[in-house]
Every structure is written in C-alpha cells, then in structure tokens.
C-alpha cells in the first residue's frame, strides 16, 4: 500500500468548521422544526454588488467571443487587477508596492495555507492564540508543529490573547522563525494599533523572523489609528508577507479571489547559506501549482475598485457593521462581556458563569437555536470564549439578540439560567 504523509495522522479528525457544521446538522436532524440562526462560520449573506455582477456578465460575454476569449491567464494574476490593487490599496496609503509583488489567488485561505511550501520544515512557528485554524493545521501537515499535547502543538509557540492582556499578544520568547498575525483579528475581532504593530516589525527585524500578516478583514476598520496594511509600518517590506481577500470585503466567499503581497526585499536563506528572494520562490511555486484565478472572477474583483464598486462595497460593509454593533450592544445589555465588532465583523464573547466554550455552544444551540463557534476551536486561549459573526442578515441578527437576551435575562446567573430554561 502507498505510504502516506504521516503528519496528517497527527491532526484532529476534522477541521473546526466541519466539526461545528456536523454538530449543527445532527441537532437539526433531531429538531427539524427549530429555526437555527447561523452565526458560526464567517460566511457572508449579502449578494455580490451590482458593479461586480455587471463586470462578470461582460466577462462571460468576452469568453463567448473568439476575439475576446481568454484561456490560461498569467499565474500571478492579470495586470488590470494587480494595477488597481497597487494604486488603490497601497499607493493611496503612501505605500510603494510594485505590480510584480502582487500575486492574485483564489483566496487568502489557500495562500496562508500554501505559503509554507517555500519555507523550511524546520522553521519554528508562533501563532497568536486563539487563531484562525488554517495557520496551525497547515503547519501540522507540513510537519512543523510537533505533537498535540493537552491541546497544544509541541513545536508551536502560542501567544495568548485574552481579556487579561486586552487581547494584545506579548512578543515571542522562543525565537520563532515565522509569526502569524491576523489583524483585524479573526476570531477575537480585536486590533493592533500602529505603535503596537511597530513593535512586531521591529521584533521581526531584530530576530530575523518572517511575519505572515493576514489582513482579510481590513475593510472593516473604522478607527483611524488601526493600520490597514502592515506595510504602513516603515521597514515591514523587509520582514512581512501580507494576505488579502475579497471574500469578506465584497462577498466573494463563493467566487474565490484574494491576493498576496511578497515584497522583493524579502530574503530567505538556503541550506548553502545563499540569500534567496521569497518573491522569486513564491512566483516559482505559483507557476508550478496554480493556473491563476479565473478571468471572470478577476474582472469582478477589478470592478470593486471602480467608483461605483467602492461605493457599493462600503454599503455592504456598513450593513454588516450595523449587525456588529447590534450584537455588541445587545449582548452587553444582556450582561455578557463582549469584544470586537468595532473594526471587525466578529464578536468575541466571554461565556457566562464559567461555562466551557463547547458547553455554551450546546446551550445556545439547544435553548436559543443559535449556532456560533466555540472559542476552544481556535486554540487553548479560546476556552471560556465564544465567537459570533456579524455576517448574518439584519433580521436574523435582531432575532438572535432577542433570543439570547431572553435566555440570559431569567436570572442574574446566566449559566444556571441557560441550563434551566426550556
Ligand atoms: C471563519 O469563520 O473564521 C472564516 O470564515 C473562515 C475562512 O475565512 O476560511
């Protein structure tokens, strides 16, 4: 029989969101008449904006005509989109990024997972904790994580982010080679301001570390002092790769499009001691394993940068952020401690009465018909917390706050109460 990649055997049986979906489906099968409000996986509910739809219709027409038909596209993405990214996402913020530092892809999930292809399997990894599970699981697959001992991977450094430290991670102690940062943060919805992010860039420079910066949620930033890109910090191009996504910005979770910035200044070391460009390695990787995001989808992404597109995107984000503040205010009024929801579409909730995050998951599902994501699923420091998303429909978000408040308001002891309410 064929030998397998044994690293996969180290992984828990299923990916967090598949696990959550399985539990919800099992509950649904047993209670077919309960209408479940889904606030678990961060999937969007609002349609793609008209500017992008129109662009796709035009692109479909292009594909129907011999003259305008597009076959294989450039593996790095079409210049019409890369140019818009350079100008609108970076140059407008006084960040100088070259077009050949931008790589269009089918989303940040793939890129944050695949980036490990160009890094040594010996690299030591640090993650903020709780964390988007893709970063950890893909390092397990690559053999960088060691073994799972009491919910922690032995070769991964966890940087706790909890209410106690205001969700601001301390700098690493174990000299990691690679540090994953996601800001605005999934799952806590919290952020780092400019001076806090500066410390990370400085740390990476002083310690030869590479920062993998996921800014998939930057479009949700509302406060002025929160960087949209790590490259707003001087020197970051020497130490950081940035990942962006159109999924949450423009409802592309089903369409699939994102991009990764790999600055040409970034260098790695080969086993012979030679300096090697990470941009060149990523380009080589993409050319070999990827044939580019589809022409139609890239035309849709391009349209998001038009005046109309930008306006429409802003409206949808405002819609979700209205949900976010409804959730924040409603849950606080119901006596829960909440974070996030100001610069991010996620609300991070302290579970009441010392309930574990899976206990709270079960209770919310059973008593309120609300499905969220248990904090523990994002890492050990997520225990005692719970994530709700603001990506639902407004009516559902209103209903969720009502259901939750009436569950929690029976007594002052929310946990006891939740277990009692029928
Ligand atoms: C999440 O719920 O954390 C995200 O939707 C997952 C993702 O973007 O892949």
């Amino acid at each position: 029989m064929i030998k397998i990649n044994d690293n996969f055997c180290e992984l828990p049986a299923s990916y967090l969101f598949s696990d959550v979906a399985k539990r919800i489906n099992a509950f649904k099968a047993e209670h077919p008449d309960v209408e479940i409000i889904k606030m678990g996986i961060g999937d969007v509910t609002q349609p793609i904006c008209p500017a992008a739809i129109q662009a796709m219709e035009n692109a479909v027409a292009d594909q129907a005509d011999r003259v305008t038909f597009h076959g294989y596209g450039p593996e790095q993405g079409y210049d019409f989109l890369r140019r818009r990214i350079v100008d609108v996402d970076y140059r407008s913020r006084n960040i100088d990024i070259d077009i050949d530092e931008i790589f269009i892809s089918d989303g940040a999930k793939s890129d944050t997972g695949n980036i490990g292809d160009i890094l040594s399997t010996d690299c030591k990894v640090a993650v903020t904790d709780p964390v988007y599970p893709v970063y950890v699981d893909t390092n397990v697959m690559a053999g960088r994580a060691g073994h799972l001992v009491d919910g922690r991977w032995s070769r991964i450094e966890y940087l706790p982010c909890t209410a106690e430290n205001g969700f601001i991670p301390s700098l690493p102690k174990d000299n990691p080679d690679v540090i994953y940062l996601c800001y605005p943060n999934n799952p806590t919805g919290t952020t780092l301001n400019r001076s806090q992010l500066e410390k990370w860039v400085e740390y990476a420079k002083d310690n030869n570390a590479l920062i993998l910066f996921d800014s998939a949620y930057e479009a949700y930033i509302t406060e002025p002092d929160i960087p949209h890109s790590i490259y707003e910090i001087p020197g970051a191009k020497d130490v950081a790769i940035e990942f962006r996504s159109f999924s949450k910005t423009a409802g592309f979770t089903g369409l699939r499009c994102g991009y990764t910035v790999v600055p040409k200044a970034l260098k790695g070391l080969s086993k012979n001691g030679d300096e090697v460009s990470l941009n060149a390695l990523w380009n080589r990787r993409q050319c070999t394993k990827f044939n580019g995001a589809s022409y139609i989808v890239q035309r849709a992404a391009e349209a998001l940068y038009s005046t109309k597109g930008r306006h429409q995107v802003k409206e949808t984000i405002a819609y979700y952020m209205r949900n976010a503040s409804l959730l924040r205010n409603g849950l606080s009024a119901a006596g829960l401690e909440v974070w996030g929801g100001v610069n991010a579409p996620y609300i991070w909730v302290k579970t009441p009465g010392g309930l574990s995050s899976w206990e709270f998951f079960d209770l919310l599902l059973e008593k309120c018909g609300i499905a969220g994501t248990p904090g523990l699923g994002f890492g050990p420091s997520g225990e005692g917390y719970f994530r709700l998303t603001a990506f639902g429909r407004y009516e559902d978000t209103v209903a969720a706050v009502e259901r939750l408040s009436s569950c929690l308001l029976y007594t002052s002891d929310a946990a006891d109460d939740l277990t009692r309410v029928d």
Side-chain angles (χ1 to χ4, degrees):
M1 261 192 282
I2 192 76
K3 285 188 187 164
I4 59 155
N5 175 350
D6 279 313
N7 298 320
F8 278 68
C9 301
E10 299 276 344
L11 283 167
S14 62
Y15 179 60
L16 170 64
F17 293 108
S18 322
D19 203 13
V20 168
K22 254 188 237 154
R23 291 193 190 214
I24 297 169
N25 290 337
F27 178 81
K28 253 206 244 155
E30 272 180 42
H31 307 87
D33 24 283
V34 176
E35 217 165 281
I36 297 170
I37 302 178
K38 289 192 186 156
M39 307 179 91
I41 188 161
D43 198 2
V44 293
T45 52
Q46 296 309 295
I48 290 163
C49 68
I53 296 291
Q54 184 60 57
M56 282 193 283
E57 283 174 7
N58 297 345
V60 167
D62 286 349
Q63 295 298 69
D65 185 324
R66 178 175 305 135
V67 178
T68 48
F69 168 76
H70 287 71
Y72 288 130
E75 294 89 346
Q76 304 79 2
Y78 285 101
D79 280 358
F80 61 73
L81 177 56
R82 297 166 93 199
R83 226 176 278 123
R84 298 296 267 167
I85 291 168
V86 164
D87 289 343
V88 181
D89 290 346
Y90 293 103
R91 216 156 269 165
S92 71
R93 295 187 185 281
N94 296 321
I95 301 167
D96 204 13
I97 295 289
D98 287 343
I99 195 165
D100 54 359
E101 296 178 310
I102 307 276
F103 294 84
I104 311 294
S105 72
D106 65 348
K109 179 176 184 176
S110 319
D111 283 0
T112 53
N114 290 330
I115 196 73
D117 280 10
I118 64 168
L119 305 174
S120 163
T121 47
D122 290 340
C123 284
K124 278 197 294 182
V125 169
V127 294
T128 53
D129 171 30
V131 72
Y132 179 40
V134 169
Y135 313 154
V136 172
D137 286 6
T138 53
N139 277 293
V140 176
M141 292 171 182
R144 284 189 201 96
H147 303 285
L148 191 59
V149 184
D150 296 333
R152 286 162 192 275
W153 294 95
S154 55
R155 280 195 83 238
I156 289 189
E157 181 173 4
Y158 291 82
L159 308 167
C161 299
T162 60
E164 284 69 40
N165 62 9
F167 299 95
I168 307 298
S170 300
L171 293 171
K173 294 195 176 66
D174 296 347
N175 286 321
D177 303 291
V178 181
I179 302 163
Y180 288 82
L181 296 179
C182 172
Y183 287 101
N185 187 252
N186 177 17
T188 64
T190 58
T191 46
L192 291 185
N193 64 26
R194 197 168 309 275
S195 63
Q196 287 160 342
L197 190 56
E198 273 166 10
K199 291 200 179 96
W200 287 87
V201 170
E202 198 183 305
Y203 172 89
K205 273 183 168 254
D206 292 348
N207 295 277
N208 284 322
L210 172 68
I211 296 177
L212 299 178
F213 192 77
D214 185 349
S215 60
Y217 300 93
E218 65 79 31
Y220 289 83
I221 293 172
T222 60
E223 293 180 320
D225 192 34
I226 309 300
H228 287 248
S229 163
I230 193 164
Y231 305 124
E232 288 178 41
I233 311 297
K237 280 206 284 184
D238 298 329
V239 294
I241 290 176
E242 178 161 288
F243 303 91
R244 293 266 184 114
S245 166
F246 297 107
S247 288
K248 314 299 161 78
T249 307
F252 277 32
T253 52
L255 267 190
R256 308 306 308 152
C257 196
Y259 67 88
T260 291
V261 184
V262 189
K264 284 176 282 191
L266 269 179
K267 302 280 188 258
L269 210 55
S270 77
K271 67 171 188 270
N272 306 325
D274 298 329
E275 271 195 2
V276 179
S277 153
L278 295 193
N279 177 287
L281 290 188
W282 184 244
N283 187 48
R284 185 71 176 84
R285 190 260 172 220
Q286 291 298 79
C287 290
T288 306
K289 292 196 179 183
F290 188 56
N291 259 335
S294 91
Y295 169 72
I296 296 168
V297 167
Q298 291 190 65
R299 280 292 186 201
E302 180 196 24
L304 304 174
Y305 292 94
S306 65
T307 310
K308 264 194 203 151
R310 290 172 77 179
H311 178 71
Q312 291 163 358
V313 161
K314 271 201 184 125
E315 276 184 350
T316 308
I317 288 172
Y319 175 95
Y320 292 133
M321 289 310 273
R322 179 167 68 140
N323 289 347
S325 66
L326 191 74
L327 278 168
R328 262 182 81 86
N329 298 338
L331 302 188
S332 305
L336 290 170
E337 266 189 286
V338 298
W339 296 268
V342 176
N343 296 295
Y346 293 120
I347 310 291
W348 193 240
V349 183
K350 180 89 191 134
T351 60
L355 288 174
S356 77
S357 59
W358 278 106
E359 282 170 341
F360 194 56
F361 172 87
D362 288 337
L363 282 171
L364 280 196
L365 193 57
E366 284 162 23
K367 307 296 179 196
C368 312
I370 294 173
T373 311
L376 185 62
F378 296 102
S381 296
E383 182 54 296
Y385 294 91
F386 197 74
R387 194 192 76 174
L388 293 169
T389 93
F391 287 124
R393 292 184 311 145
Y394 178 70
E395 309 76 73
D396 289 341
T397 310
V398 172
V401 170
E402 274 166 14
R403 285 191 203 180
L404 242 153
S405 309
S406 53
C407 276
L408 291 166
L409 277 177
Y410 278 82
T411 70
S412 53
D413 186 332
D416 271 7
D417 189 53
L418 273 171
T419 44
R420 248 180 347 94
V421 176
D422 286 322

